[in-house]
Amino acid sequence: MSKKELTSSSIVVILLFNLLIIGKAEIYIVTVEGEPVISYKGGVNGFEATAVESDSDEKIDVTSELVTSYSRHLEKKHDMLLGMLFDQGTYKKLYSYRHLINGFAVHISPEQAETLRGAPGVKSVERDWKVRRLTTHTPQFLGLPTGVWPTGGGFDRAGEDIVIAFVDSGIYPHHPSFSTHNTEPYGPVLKYRGKCEVDPDTKRDFCNGKIVGAQHFAKAAKMAGAFNPGIDFDSPLDGDGHGSHTAAIAAGNNGIPVRMHGFEYGRASGMAPRARIAVYKALYRIFGGFVADVVAAIDQAVQDGVDILNLSVGPNSPPSAAKTTFLNPFDTALLSAVRAGVFVAQAAGNGGPFPKTLLSYSPWIASVAAAVDDRRYKNHFTLGNGKILAGIGLSPATHANRTFTLVAANDVLLDSSVAKYSPCDCQRPEVLNKNLVEGNILLCGYSFNFVAGTASIKRVSETAKILGAIGFVLAVENASPGTKFDPVPVGIPGILITDISMSMELIDYYNVSTPRDWTGRVRNFKAVGSIGESLKPILHKSAPQVALFSARGPNIKDYSFQDADLLKPDILAPGSLIWSAWAPNGTDEADYVGEGFAMISGTSMAAPHIAGIAALVKQKHPHWSPAAIKSALMTTSTTLDRAESPLQAQQYSESGTMSLVRATPFDFGSGHVNPRAALDPGLIFDAGYEDYLGFLCTTPGIDAHEIKNYTNSPCNYTLGHPWNLNIPSITISHLVGTQIVTRTVTNVAKEETYVITAQMAPAIAIDTNPPAMTLRPGASGKFSVTLTVRSVMGTYSFGEVLLKGSRGHKVRIPVVAMGYDR
C-alpha cells in the first residue's frame, strides 16, 4: 500500500500504535561516533579542525564559521540517524550535544532504544537518570577579607571578570546579593558568549552586568511529565531557593546585611564578590532534575566560555548501563569541560557519616566535603525551679528578670475533636485557645512532621505570634538516633530543646506544677520559665569539624562498590549553617519560605565556597589549568583546627548519639581549604586530558572499548598503575609487597629548595627519593614514594608526604593504602 492509499481507519490504527509507543517511552542519552567540537582535529570532508592544542591558553571561538558549520553537521547527522531508523512522530529529540560530547537526548520506547543500540555508528545508549540538590560568616572564618582580598585589590576587585557557572535551580535576580546599584559599574566580559533569557512575566531579561548569562533547560523534565510551569517557572527564575543560595556563596556582593524579623544577623558576602554569575537552570522544586537537562546545561556553559563550573548536584542512583563510576555521559561531559580549561567543583554528597557514600568520583573534578565552622547558636531555657536546660535557636530573649507561665498545646485545645490535627506541633493556631495562650510561653512537641517537612519551626513561631504568646518552647521527646537539628531564626523568643533527657525534665516539671481535675483538665497553669537570647553565635576553637552528613570515602571505581585507587573527597569547605541569599518564592526549606535569606546546610553549600575561591586563584593565575588550581587548593589545605589540634569528624557513637572522632582523608580529602595559602602554593601537581585518559586506561576492570566509546580516544597511553596519575594525593587500595609511586611537581614561585619527608601509620613503611630538590621558576622535578607492607591489618593506613621549602612554602599530600599479603 502506498502512502496515498492510506484509509482513515488505518491512519487511526497507526496513530494509536504511535501513542502506545510514546506512552511507555523514556528519555535516553545517546553517544555516536565522531569527535565533538572540543576535540575535532579534522578528517571530515569539507570541515576543518575545531580543536585547540591542549597545552594552549587559546579557547575555541564558538562563533566562528568553522565551529558553527561543524556543529550543524553533527546535529544534521543526529537527525538523519533518527529519521532513518524511526517514523516521524514516534520519537522526539530533546537536545543535540555537540560541544563536549557527540550525541543527543531522545524520547523513545525501550524497543526503539534497542534498535538504536544495534545501529551503525551508535556507541552508547543510556536511560536518563535523575539528579538532586545536595543541600555570612564564612569569609571571615576563611580569612578572606584580611588575607586574600587585599592581594586582589580588595573586595571590590576580588574575582574581577572571572565567570562562574551555576547548574542549579536558577536565580532570583532582584536580590541585593546580585544587585549592581551600589557597586562600580561592570563592563562587558568579552570572552563570555552566553545569552540572557527574558522573564515571560516581566518581559525583562535576567542580566545586569553582575549576572551575565541566564538560561534554563527543562526539555527532559517536561517530556518526563515532571515539570509544572505554575511552580517550576519556565525561565531562569529560582522557584526553589537553592540556586540563589549557592550563587551568592561563591560570588554574591560583599557586605550585604542579613536581616530577618527585624534583626541583623551579620553581613553576607560571596567568596569572590566581583566575579560574574552565569545561570544554567536545570534543577526544579520537587523532582530535582534529569541528567539529559544537566548535560545540556554543562555543554552550553562551556560553549559560552565560563571559567568555573559549580555543581551542587548529584545523581539519585547509578546510571542504568554504566559499569564504572568514571564513565557515563555526565562525568564524560565534565572531563571535556576540564579539557576546555574549566575548573569544576562538585558537592561530594550528603550520605555521611557512612563509608562509600560519595556521589562525586572522577579525578578531573574537585569533590567537596562539608565542614562545620566555628559558629554555634546555643540558647537556654530556665525553669521556675532554677534548672537551666540547653537548647538551640536564633531568637530574642523574654523580658529580663521575669518568668512567664508555660502552657502546653495539648492543654489549650478549643475542643477534643481537633486532636486529629496533631495539635501538639503548633502548626494550626485556629485549633488552640487564644485566651489561654496570650501572654504565656507556648510549649509544643517536635513530631515526625518536622522531619518529614510537613511542619516547620517558622510555623510554630507564627502560631505563637498569632495567639499572642510571649514565646515558645519546642521539646524533642523522641527522635531517631542522629537526627540533625538546625537552629532557625524567629522573630519572637523561642528555643528548641534537642536533648531528650532535658525535654523530659521540662515535661516532668510542667506536669508536677500543673494541677488537673479528675478528667485530666488543667485547673490552673503554675509552671513558669524564661527564654535566653541567642541572636549572636558562640565561636568555637574546635572548628572546623567534618559535618555529620558529609559523604565519606573510600571512593569507588564501579557500582559493585570496589575501592578505587583515587582519594575522594578532595577538599573540605564550610557547609553547615551557611547564611546566604534566598528566593522569596523558594520552597526548598520550609523554615525560610518568603524570606530573603536562609541558613542551611549541605555539601551543596561547600562546593560554591571552593568555586569562589578557585575564581580568586584563577584571577591571580589566569593561565593555570584546572588541575593546577585544584592542586593549589589541596596542597595548601590544613588538617588542624583553630586550636591546632587534628581535625575531628562528627560520627555516630554506638548508642546512636553524635560524637567526635579523629578525622581521616576519607572524611576531608587533603584537608580544610586555606584560601590565602592557595594563592601562593609554591609547587603544583599538574595534569591534563591525556593523563586522565591514562588513568582510565590503567584502572583494572575498565574496558578499553568502553573508554573509546565515551572519550573517542584509544588507550595509547598508560600510567602503569592508576595511582601514578599526577594528582596531590596517593591512594593504593590493594597494596601487595612494595610499590613505587612517582609524582612530578612544577615550581610556580621563585627558586626554592624543598626537603621531602614522609610519615605513615606503622602497618605500611614509607620512603621518599630524592631527599631534597632545588627548582628554578617554572621548572619541574620528579620524586618517588615507596610504600611497603609491614603487616596486614585489614584496614586502611594513613600518612602524608611533606615538601618543605626554604622560602617558607609547605606542600602536603595525603597518602592512603591498605596492605595485603597477596
Short mmCIF file of all heavy atoms in Angstrom, two decimals, residues 65-123:
data_model
loop_
_atom_site.label_atom_id
_atom_site.label_comp_id
_atom_site.label_asym_id
_atom_site.label_seq_id
_atom_site.Cartn_x
_atom_site.Cartn_y
_atom_site.Cartn_z
N GLU A 65 32.81 30.54 11.86
CA GLU A 65 32.13 29.73 10.84
C GLU A 65 32.60 28.28 10.90
O GLU A 65 31.83 27.35 10.68
CB GLU A 65 32.39 30.33 9.45
CG GLU A 65 31.75 29.56 8.30
CD GLU A 65 30.23 29.39 8.45
OE1 GLU A 65 29.57 30.26 9.07
OE2 GLU A 65 29.69 28.38 7.95
N LEU A 66 33.90 28.07 11.23
CA LEU A 66 34.44 26.71 11.38
C LEU A 66 33.63 25.90 12.37
O LEU A 66 33.21 24.77 12.10
CB LEU A 66 35.89 26.79 11.91
CG LEU A 66 37.03 27.01 10.95
CD1 LEU A 66 38.35 27.02 11.72
CD2 LEU A 66 37.06 25.90 9.91
N VAL A 67 33.43 26.50 13.56
CA VAL A 67 32.74 25.79 14.66
C VAL A 67 31.25 25.64 14.36
O VAL A 67 30.68 24.56 14.52
CB VAL A 67 32.97 26.51 16.00
CG1 VAL A 67 32.09 25.91 17.09
CG2 VAL A 67 34.43 26.43 16.41
N THR A 68 30.61 26.71 13.92
CA THR A 68 29.16 26.64 13.69
C THR A 68 28.82 25.66 12.57
O THR A 68 27.84 24.93 12.66
CB THR A 68 28.56 28.03 13.40
OG1 THR A 68 29.30 28.63 12.33
CG2 THR A 68 28.62 28.93 14.62
N SER A 69 29.64 25.61 11.53
CA SER A 69 29.33 24.69 10.42
C SER A 69 29.55 23.24 10.84
O SER A 69 28.74 22.36 10.53
CB SER A 69 30.16 25.02 9.18
OG SER A 69 31.53 24.83 9.43
N TYR A 70 30.62 22.97 11.61
CA TYR A 70 30.85 21.59 12.07
C TYR A 70 29.78 21.19 13.08
O TYR A 70 29.28 20.05 13.07
CB TYR A 70 32.24 21.45 12.69
CG TYR A 70 32.55 20.03 13.15
CD1 TYR A 70 32.65 18.99 12.23
CD2 TYR A 70 32.68 19.73 14.50
CE1 TYR A 70 32.90 17.69 12.64
CE2 TYR A 70 32.93 18.44 14.93
CZ TYR A 70 33.04 17.42 13.99
OH TYR A 70 33.28 16.12 14.41
N SER A 71 29.38 22.14 13.91
CA SER A 71 28.33 21.89 14.89
C SER A 71 27.01 21.54 14.19
O SER A 71 26.31 20.60 14.58
CB SER A 71 28.17 23.15 15.76
OG SER A 71 27.37 22.89 16.86
N ARG A 72 26.68 22.29 13.13
CA ARG A 72 25.46 21.99 12.35
C ARG A 72 25.56 20.63 11.69
O ARG A 72 24.58 19.88 11.62
CB ARG A 72 25.24 23.07 11.28
CG ARG A 72 24.64 24.36 11.81
CD ARG A 72 24.09 25.23 10.67
NE ARG A 72 25.11 25.58 9.70
CZ ARG A 72 25.84 26.70 9.76
NH1 ARG A 72 25.66 27.57 10.74
NH2 ARG A 72 26.77 26.96 8.84
N HIS A 73 26.76 20.29 11.23
CA HIS A 73 27.00 18.99 10.60
C HIS A 73 26.69 17.84 11.58
O HIS A 73 26.03 16.87 11.21
CB HIS A 73 28.46 18.92 10.12
CG HIS A 73 28.98 17.55 9.86
ND1 HIS A 73 28.58 16.80 8.76
CD2 HIS A 73 29.85 16.77 10.56
CE1 HIS A 73 29.19 15.63 8.79
NE2 HIS A 73 29.97 15.58 9.87
N LEU A 74 27.14 17.99 12.83
CA LEU A 74 26.89 16.95 13.84
C LEU A 74 25.39 16.82 14.10
O LEU A 74 24.85 15.71 14.16
CB LEU A 74 27.62 17.28 15.14
CG LEU A 74 29.15 17.21 15.12
CD1 LEU A 74 29.72 17.55 16.49
CD2 LEU A 74 29.65 15.82 14.68
N GLU A 75 24.72 17.97 14.25
CA GLU A 75 23.27 17.92 14.54
C GLU A 75 22.51 17.29 13.38
O GLU A 75 21.57 16.52 13.58
CB GLU A 75 22.75 19.33 14.83
CG GLU A 75 21.28 19.31 15.19
CD GLU A 75 20.81 20.55 15.94
OE1 GLU A 75 21.55 21.53 16.01
OE2 GLU A 75 19.68 20.50 16.45
N LYS A 76 22.92 17.60 12.17
CA LYS A 76 22.29 17.04 10.98
C LYS A 76 22.43 15.51 10.97
O LYS A 76 21.49 14.79 10.64
CB LYS A 76 22.96 17.64 9.73
CG LYS A 76 22.07 17.73 8.50
CD LYS A 76 22.79 18.55 7.45
CE LYS A 76 21.93 18.73 6.22
NZ LYS A 76 22.64 19.55 5.22
N LYS A 77 23.61 15.04 11.37
CA LYS A 77 23.85 13.59 11.43
C LYS A 77 22.96 12.93 12.49
O LYS A 77 22.46 11.83 12.28
CB LYS A 77 25.33 13.30 11.70
CG LYS A 77 26.23 13.58 10.51
CD LYS A 77 27.62 13.01 10.69
CE LYS A 77 27.61 11.50 10.48
NZ LYS A 77 28.97 10.92 10.54
N HIS A 78 22.77 13.60 13.63
CA HIS A 78 21.88 13.08 14.67
C HIS A 78 20.46 12.93 14.10
O HIS A 78 19.80 11.90 14.28
CB HIS A 78 21.83 14.02 15.88
CG HIS A 78 23.16 14.26 16.52
ND1 HIS A 78 23.39 15.33 17.37
CD2 HIS A 78 24.33 13.58 16.45
CE1 HIS A 78 24.64 15.29 17.78
NE2 HIS A 78 25.23 14.24 17.24
N ASP A 79 20.00 13.99 13.41
CA ASP A 79 18.64 13.99 12.85
C ASP A 79 18.48 12.92 11.76
O ASP A 79 17.45 12.25 11.68
CB ASP A 79 18.29 15.37 12.29
CG ASP A 79 18.21 16.43 13.38
OD1 ASP A 79 18.02 16.06 14.55
OD2 ASP A 79 18.36 17.63 13.07
N MET A 80 19.51 12.77 10.93
CA MET A 80 19.46 11.77 9.86
C MET A 80 19.39 10.36 10.43
O MET A 80 18.62 9.52 9.96
CB MET A 80 20.71 11.89 8.97
CG MET A 80 20.62 13.03 7.96
SD MET A 80 22.18 13.24 7.07
CE MET A 80 22.34 11.64 6.27
N LEU A 81 20.18 10.10 11.48
CA LEU A 81 20.18 8.77 12.10
C LEU A 81 18.79 8.43 12.63
O LEU A 81 18.26 7.35 12.36
CB LEU A 81 21.21 8.74 13.24
CG LEU A 81 21.24 7.47 14.10
CD1 LEU A 81 21.69 6.26 13.28
CD2 LEU A 81 22.16 7.65 15.31
N LEU A 82 18.19 9.36 13.36
CA LEU A 82 16.86 9.12 13.92
C LEU A 82 15.83 8.99 12.80
O LEU A 82 14.94 8.12 12.85
CB LEU A 82 16.47 10.26 14.87
CG LEU A 82 17.23 10.29 16.21
CD1 LEU A 82 17.04 11.62 16.92
CD2 LEU A 82 16.79 9.14 17.11
N GLY A 83 15.94 9.83 11.78
CA GLY A 83 14.99 9.80 10.65
C GLY A 83 15.06 8.51 9.86
O GLY A 83 14.05 8.04 9.33
N MET A 84 16.26 7.93 9.74
CA MET A 84 16.41 6.67 9.01
C MET A 84 15.85 5.48 9.79
O MET A 84 15.32 4.55 9.22
CB MET A 84 17.90 6.41 8.71
CG MET A 84 18.44 7.23 7.56
SD MET A 84 20.09 6.70 7.02
CE MET A 84 20.94 6.34 8.53
N LEU A 85 15.97 5.54 11.12
CA LEU A 85 15.58 4.39 11.94
C LEU A 85 14.09 4.38 12.31
O LEU A 85 13.49 3.31 12.44
CB LEU A 85 16.40 4.37 13.23
CG LEU A 85 17.90 4.06 13.10
CD1 LEU A 85 18.58 4.18 14.46
CD2 LEU A 85 18.12 2.66 12.53
N PHE A 86 13.52 5.57 12.51
CA PHE A 86 12.17 5.63 13.07
C PHE A 86 11.25 6.52 12.24
O PHE A 86 11.70 7.48 11.62
CB PHE A 86 12.21 6.16 14.51
CG PHE A 86 13.21 5.47 15.39
CD1 PHE A 86 14.20 6.20 16.05
CD2 PHE A 86 13.18 4.10 15.57
CE1 PHE A 86 15.13 5.58 16.86
CE2 PHE A 86 14.10 3.45 16.38
CZ PHE A 86 15.07 4.19 17.02
N ASP A 87 9.96 6.19 12.30
CA ASP A 87 8.96 7.02 11.62
C ASP A 87 8.79 8.34 12.39
O ASP A 87 8.86 8.37 13.62
CB ASP A 87 7.60 6.30 11.58
CG ASP A 87 7.64 5.09 10.66
OD1 ASP A 87 8.49 5.09 9.74
OD2 ASP A 87 6.86 4.15 10.88
N GLN A 88 8.52 9.37 11.63
CA GLN A 88 8.27 10.67 12.25
C GLN A 88 7.07 10.57 13.18
O GLN A 88 6.07 9.93 12.86
CB GLN A 88 8.01 11.71 11.15
CG GLN A 88 8.22 13.13 11.66
CD GLN A 88 8.23 14.13 10.52
OE1 GLN A 88 8.17 13.74 9.36
NE2 GLN A 88 8.30 15.41 10.83
N GLY A 89 7.17 11.18 14.34
CA GLY A 89 6.06 11.14 15.30
C GLY A 89 6.22 10.04 16.34
O GLY A 89 5.51 10.02 17.34
N THR A 90 7.15 9.09 16.10
CA THR A 90 7.35 8.01 17.09
C THR A 90 8.50 8.33 18.04
O THR A 90 8.81 7.55 18.93
CB THR A 90 7.63 6.67 16.40
OG1 THR A 90 8.89 6.74 15.72
CG2 THR A 90 6.53 6.29 15.44
N TYR A 91 9.17 9.46 17.84
CA TYR A 91 10.28 9.85 18.73
C TYR A 91 10.30 11.37 18.82
O TYR A 91 9.72 12.06 17.98
CB TYR A 91 11.62 9.33 18.18
CG TYR A 91 12.06 10.01 16.90
CD1 TYR A 91 12.85 11.15 16.92
CD2 TYR A 91 11.66 9.52 15.65
CE1 TYR A 91 13.24 11.81 15.75
CE2 TYR A 91 12.04 10.15 14.47
CZ TYR A 91 12.83 11.29 14.53
OH TYR A 91 13.20 11.92 13.37
N LYS A 92 10.98 11.85 19.84
CA LYS A 92 11.20 13.30 19.95
C LYS A 92 12.62 13.54 20.45
O LYS A 92 12.97 13.14 21.56
CB LYS A 92 10.18 13.95 20.89
CG LYS A 92 10.41 15.47 20.98
CD LYS A 92 9.22 16.20 21.53
CE LYS A 92 9.46 17.70 21.65
NZ LYS A 92 9.78 18.37 20.39
N LYS A 93 13.40 14.19 19.62
CA LYS A 93 14.76 14.57 20.03
C LYS A 93 14.67 15.82 20.91
O LYS A 93 14.00 16.78 20.54
CB LYS A 93 15.64 14.84 18.81
CG LYS A 93 17.12 15.01 19.17
CD LYS A 93 17.96 15.50 18.01
CE LYS A 93 17.71 16.99 17.79
NZ LYS A 93 18.60 17.61 16.83
N LEU A 94 15.34 15.77 22.07
CA LEU A 94 15.27 16.89 23.01
C LEU A 94 16.48 17.82 22.86
O LEU A 94 16.34 19.04 22.86
CB LEU A 94 15.20 16.37 24.45
CG LEU A 94 14.09 15.35 24.73
CD1 LEU A 94 14.14 14.91 26.18
CD2 LEU A 94 12.73 15.93 24.40
N TYR A 95 17.66 17.22 22.79
CA TYR A 95 18.89 18.01 22.66
C TYR A 95 19.84 17.32 21.70
O TYR A 95 19.89 16.09 21.64
CB TYR A 95 19.63 18.13 24.00
CG TYR A 95 18.90 18.82 25.12
CD1 TYR A 95 18.36 18.09 26.18
CD2 TYR A 95 18.76 20.21 25.13
CE1 TYR A 95 17.70 18.72 27.23
CE2 TYR A 95 18.10 20.85 26.18
CZ TYR A 95 17.57 20.10 27.22
OH TYR A 95 16.91 20.72 28.25
N SER A 96 20.62 18.12 20.98
CA SER A 96 21.82 17.62 20.30
C SER A 96 23.01 18.12 21.09
O SER A 96 23.15 19.33 21.31
CB SER A 96 21.90 18.15 18.86
OG SER A 96 21.32 17.24 17.97
N TYR A 97 23.87 17.18 21.55
CA TYR A 97 25.10 17.55 22.25
C TYR A 97 26.22 17.56 21.22
O TYR A 97 26.50 16.54 20.59
CB TYR A 97 25.42 16.54 23.35
CG TYR A 97 24.30 16.31 24.35
CD1 TYR A 97 23.80 15.03 24.58
CD2 TYR A 97 23.76 17.36 25.08
CE1 TYR A 97 22.79 14.80 25.49
CE2 TYR A 97 22.74 17.15 26.00
CZ TYR A 97 22.26 15.87 26.20
OH TYR A 97 21.26 15.65 27.12
N ARG A 98 26.87 18.72 21.10
CA ARG A 98 27.87 18.81 20.03
C ARG A 98 29.22 19.34 20.52
O ARG A 98 30.23 19.13 19.88
CB ARG A 98 27.36 19.77 18.93
CG ARG A 98 26.10 19.27 18.24
CD ARG A 98 25.31 20.41 17.64
NE ARG A 98 24.80 21.32 18.66
CZ ARG A 98 24.09 22.41 18.41
NH1 ARG A 98 23.82 22.75 17.17
NH2 ARG A 98 23.66 23.18 19.39
N HIS A 99 29.23 20.03 21.65
CA HIS A 99 30.45 20.71 22.07
C HIS A 99 31.37 19.80 22.89
O HIS A 99 32.55 19.66 22.58
CB HIS A 99 30.10 21.97 22.86
CG HIS A 99 31.24 22.93 22.98
ND1 HIS A 99 31.61 23.76 21.95
CD2 HIS A 99 32.11 23.17 23.99
CE1 HIS A 99 32.65 24.48 22.32
NE2 HIS A 99 32.97 24.14 23.56
N LEU A 100 30.85 19.20 23.96
CA LEU A 100 31.67 18.38 24.86
C LEU A 100 31.59 16.89 24.53
O LEU A 100 32.56 16.16 24.70
CB LEU A 100 31.24 18.60 26.31
CG LEU A 100 31.34 20.04 26.82
CD1 LEU A 100 30.88 20.12 28.27
CD2 LEU A 100 32.77 20.55 26.71
N ILE A 101 30.40 16.43 24.16
CA ILE A 101 30.23 15.06 23.71
C ILE A 101 29.43 15.10 22.41
O ILE A 101 28.71 16.07 22.15
CB ILE A 101 29.51 14.16 24.77
CG1 ILE A 101 28.12 14.71 25.14
CG2 ILE A 101 30.36 13.97 26.00
CD1 ILE A 101 27.32 13.80 26.06
N ASN A 102 29.55 14.07 21.59
CA ASN A 102 28.79 13.99 20.34
C ASN A 102 27.65 13.01 20.55
O ASN A 102 27.87 11.80 20.67
CB ASN A 102 29.70 13.52 19.20
CG ASN A 102 28.95 13.42 17.89
OD1 ASN A 102 27.87 14.00 17.73
ND2 ASN A 102 29.51 12.70 16.94
N GLY A 103 26.45 13.55 20.65
CA GLY A 103 25.29 12.69 20.89
C GLY A 103 24.03 13.50 21.03
O GLY A 103 23.98 14.69 20.69
N PHE A 104 23.00 12.87 21.57
CA PHE A 104 21.72 13.56 21.69
C PHE A 104 20.88 12.91 22.79
O PHE A 104 21.16 11.78 23.22
CB PHE A 104 20.96 13.56 20.36
CG PHE A 104 20.83 12.19 19.72
CD1 PHE A 104 19.78 11.33 20.04
CD2 PHE A 104 21.76 11.77 18.78
CE1 PHE A 104 19.68 10.09 19.45
CE2 PHE A 104 21.67 10.53 18.17
CZ PHE A 104 20.62 9.68 18.51
N ALA A 105 19.88 13.64 23.25
CA ALA A 105 18.88 13.09 24.18
C ALA A 105 17.59 12.93 23.39
O ALA A 105 17.18 13.84 22.65
CB ALA A 105 18.67 14.03 25.36
N VAL A 106 16.96 11.78 23.52
CA VAL A 106 15.78 11.49 22.72
C VAL A 106 14.74 10.74 23.56
O VAL A 106 15.08 9.96 24.44
CB VAL A 106 16.17 10.66 21.45
CG1 VAL A 106 16.75 9.30 21.83
CG2 VAL A 106 15.01 10.52 20.49
N HIS A 107 13.47 11.00 23.26
CA HIS A 107 12.35 10.36 23.95
C HIS A 107 11.84 9.23 23.06
O HIS A 107 11.25 9.49 22.00
CB HIS A 107 11.26 11.40 24.20
CG HIS A 107 10.18 10.96 25.14
ND1 HIS A 107 8.87 10.82 24.77
CD2 HIS A 107 10.22 10.62 26.45
CE1 HIS A 107 8.15 10.44 25.81
NE2 HIS A 107 8.95 10.31 26.85
N ILE A 108 12.13 7.98 23.45
CA ILE A 108 11.77 6.81 22.63
C ILE A 108 11.34 5.66 23.53
O ILE A 108 11.54 5.70 24.75
CB ILE A 108 12.96 6.35 21.75
CG1 ILE A 108 14.23 6.24 22.59
CG2 ILE A 108 13.16 7.25 20.55
CD1 ILE A 108 15.43 5.67 21.85
N SER A 109 10.80 4.62 22.90
CA SER A 109 10.41 3.43 23.65
C SER A 109 11.63 2.56 23.91
O SER A 109 12.64 2.68 23.21
CB SER A 109 9.38 2.63 22.85
OG SER A 109 10.01 2.03 21.73
N PRO A 110 11.56 1.63 24.88
CA PRO A 110 12.67 0.70 25.12
C PRO A 110 13.03 -0.11 23.87
O PRO A 110 14.20 -0.40 23.63
CB PRO A 110 12.15 -0.19 26.24
CG PRO A 110 11.13 0.63 26.95
CD PRO A 110 10.49 1.48 25.89
N GLU A 111 11.99 -0.45 23.06
CA GLU A 111 12.26 -1.21 21.83
C GLU A 111 13.07 -0.36 20.84
O GLU A 111 14.00 -0.85 20.19
CB GLU A 111 10.93 -1.65 21.18
CG GLU A 111 10.15 -2.69 21.97
CD GLU A 111 9.38 -2.10 23.15
OE1 GLU A 111 9.25 -0.85 23.24
OE2 GLU A 111 8.92 -2.89 24.00
N GLN A 112 12.71 0.89 20.73
CA GLN A 112 13.46 1.79 19.85
C GLN A 112 14.89 1.99 20.36
O GLN A 112 15.82 2.11 19.57
CB GLN A 112 12.74 3.14 19.74
CG GLN A 112 11.45 3.08 18.93
CD GLN A 112 10.69 4.41 19.03
OE1 GLN A 112 10.36 4.87 20.11
NE2 GLN A 112 10.42 5.01 17.88
N ALA A 113 15.04 2.01 21.70
CA ALA A 113 16.38 2.13 22.28
C ALA A 113 17.25 0.95 21.87
O ALA A 113 18.44 1.11 21.56
CB ALA A 113 16.29 2.24 23.80
N GLU A 114 16.64 -0.24 21.85
CA GLU A 114 17.38 -1.44 21.42
C GLU A 114 17.79 -1.33 19.96
O GLU A 114 18.89 -1.71 19.57
CB GLU A 114 16.54 -2.70 21.65
CG GLU A 114 16.55 -3.22 23.07
CD GLU A 114 17.96 -3.43 23.62
OE1 GLU A 114 18.78 -4.08 22.94
OE2 GLU A 114 18.26 -2.90 24.70
N THR A 115 16.88 -0.80 19.14
CA THR A 115 17.20 -0.59 17.72
C THR A 115 18.39 0.36 17.59
O THR A 115 19.31 0.12 16.78
CB THR A 115 15.97 -0.01 16.99
OG1 THR A 115 14.87 -0.90 17.16
CG2 THR A 115 16.25 0.20 15.51
N LEU A 116 18.38 1.43 18.38
CA LEU A 116 19.49 2.39 18.34
C LEU A 116 20.80 1.73 18.74
O LEU A 116 21.85 1.98 18.14
CB LEU A 116 19.19 3.55 19.30
CG LEU A 116 18.72 4.87 18.69
CD1 LEU A 116 18.44 5.89 19.78
CD2 LEU A 116 19.73 5.45 17.71
N ARG A 117 20.75 0.88 19.78
CA ARG A 117 21.98 0.22 20.26
C ARG A 117 22.64 -0.59 19.15
O ARG A 117 23.86 -0.71 19.10
CB ARG A 117 21.66 -0.69 21.46
CG ARG A 117 21.52 0.05 22.77
CD ARG A 117 21.49 -0.85 23.98
NE ARG A 117 21.27 -0.05 25.17
CZ ARG A 117 20.08 0.12 25.74
NH1 ARG A 117 19.01 -0.47 25.25
NH2 ARG A 117 19.97 0.88 26.81
N GLY A 118 21.82 -1.16 18.27
CA GLY A 118 22.37 -2.00 17.22
C GLY A 118 22.69 -1.24 15.94
O GLY A 118 23.18 -1.84 14.97
N ALA A 119 22.43 0.06 15.92
CA ALA A 119 22.62 0.83 14.69
C ALA A 119 24.09 1.18 14.49
O ALA A 119 24.81 1.46 15.46
CB ALA A 119 21.80 2.12 14.76
N PRO A 120 24.58 1.16 13.25
CA PRO A 120 25.97 1.52 12.97
C PRO A 120 26.25 2.96 13.43
O PRO A 120 25.42 3.86 13.23
CB PRO A 120 26.08 1.41 11.44
CG PRO A 120 24.89 0.62 11.02
CD PRO A 120 23.83 0.84 12.03
N GLY A 121 27.41 3.15 14.04
CA GLY A 121 27.83 4.49 14.46
C GLY A 121 27.34 4.89 15.84
O GLY A 121 27.74 5.93 16.35
N VAL A 122 26.48 4.06 16.47
CA VAL A 122 26.00 4.37 17.82
C VAL A 122 26.93 3.71 18.83
O VAL A 122 27.20 2.51 18.75
CB VAL A 122 24.55 3.89 18.02
CG1 VAL A 122 24.14 4.04 19.48
CG2 VAL A 122 23.61 4.69 17.13
N LYS A 123 27.42 4.50 19.79
CA LYS A 123 28.39 3.98 20.74
C LYS A 123 27.78 3.62 22.09
O LYS A 123 28.16 2.64 22.71
CB LYS A 123 29.51 5.01 20.94
CG LYS A 123 30.26 5.28 19.64
CD LYS A 123 31.59 5.94 19.86
CE LYS A 123 31.46 7.24 20.61
NZ LYS A 123 32.75 7.93 20.75
#
